[in-house]
Amino acid sequence: MHASHAQAAKSPALLWYLTEPSRAVVDFGQLATARSVLRTAPRGDGHPVLVLPGLLASDASTTSLRWFLNRLGYRAYGWNLGRNIGPTRAAVEGIRNRLTEVADGHGRTVSLIGWSLGGIYARELAREHPQHVRDVMTLGSPYRLTAPTETRAHRVFSMLSHLHVPESELPPPHHTRPPLAMPATSVYSEHDGIVSWQSCVEEPGYGRQNVAVTGSHLGYGHNPAVLWLAADRLAQPEGEWRPFSPPAGLARRYPSDISHRLS
């Protein structure tokens, strides 16, 4: 990326922010029209999947996604830590224990799917415990955040910061570290009204892909394009990787990749 991320990223458009709730409802409604296509989604080997919710959300927010994955034969788990209020001591230690519990319980590696802040957690878990993680998918997760204005959730996060672990215990910035050791898919939307899409993508390469979808931030967990993408990525044999290619029936829900605008 030749231009700096700081130059490219900006606050999400006010229009997209104000219409987030209504657009999330539309995303949910599209599930019905996409049902026939989703029935043909790829099926994998039934390995465990741990799904982490976003800021102020709980496992209830990921119900549709986990239900869909369970229907495909996977063992999809919530994080079981209540509402996500940020990196509290309970959350930091709890997700580590949850990952170990799921991995040891199945005797195999775990796929991680994280929505927004949950995706940042997922990437850090993958760095800390690569022996337990098969692959990572982030949904509108601003892991390349460089300024508070790149997310409209920064005021809420700041209000809760007194409950979080000390800043000295937080990981270093993303750009100072190498890519993840396992396959990683970063899902983003140019119409995300909560976080800047530029903060949700990384330099693509083997095992790393940014995939654009049409939809809202609050609708990632039940967006048909995201559900199909999750099924496609999880169905890949462990240790293998190929770039994602949209199915014909959902092609219009995947706009042309826009992350090249960072170059």
Side-chain angles (χ1 to χ4, degrees), residues 102-183:
V102 173
D104 290 348
H106 288 271
R108 55 195 309 192
T109 53
V110 180
S111 287
L112 300 179
I113 300 179
W115 189 345
S116 198
L117 179 59
I120 296 177
Y121 292 166
R123 290 180 67 91
E124 293 309 317
L125 275 180
R127 290 187 188 279
E128 289 183 9
H129 304 282
Q131 75 279 12
H132 290 326
V133 179
R134 175 170 173 151
D135 57 355
V136 178
M137 176 180 289
T138 56
L139 312 179
S141 299
Y143 57 85
R144 294 186 67 247
L145 199 69
T146 59
T149 54
E150 292 171 30
T151 170
R152 293 190 179 274
H154 70 90
R155 289 187 178 85
V156 174
F157 190 84
S158 296
M159 290 174 58
L160 297 168
S161 62
H162 66 285
L163 302 172
H164 302 164
V165 297
E167 190 171 343
S168 60
E169 296 184 30
L170 295 178
H174 169 82
H175 69 271
T176 65
R177 295 180 290 171
L180 296 181
M182 65 290 295

Side-chain angles (χ1 to χ4, degrees), residues 65-80:
L65 175 56
R66 287 183 288 114
W67 177 86
F68 176 69
L69 297 180
N70 284 325
R71 285 287 297 254
L72 292 178
Y74 296 99
R75 298 296 301 276
Y77 295 90
W79 78 332
N80 279 5

Side-chain angles (χ1 to χ4, degrees), residues 38-51:
L38 291 175
R39 287 198 187 101
T40 66
R43 295 173 181 264
D45 59 7
H47 67 271
V49 183
L50 179 58
V51 186

Side-chain angles (χ1 to χ4, degrees), residues 164-211:
H164 302 164
V165 297
E167 190 171 343
S168 60
E169 296 184 30
L170 295 178
H174 169 82
H175 69 271
T176 65
R177 295 180 290 171
L180 296 181
M182 65 290 295
T185 304
S186 300
V187 183
Y188 67 99
S189 170
E190 189 176 21
H191 302 153
D192 192 316
I194 306 298
V195 299
S196 67
W197 66 262
Q198 296 96 330
S199 65
C200 302
V201 299
E202 65 179 332
E203 185 72 45
Y206 183 81
R208 304 187 304 278
Q209 187 175 14
N210 306 311
V211 179

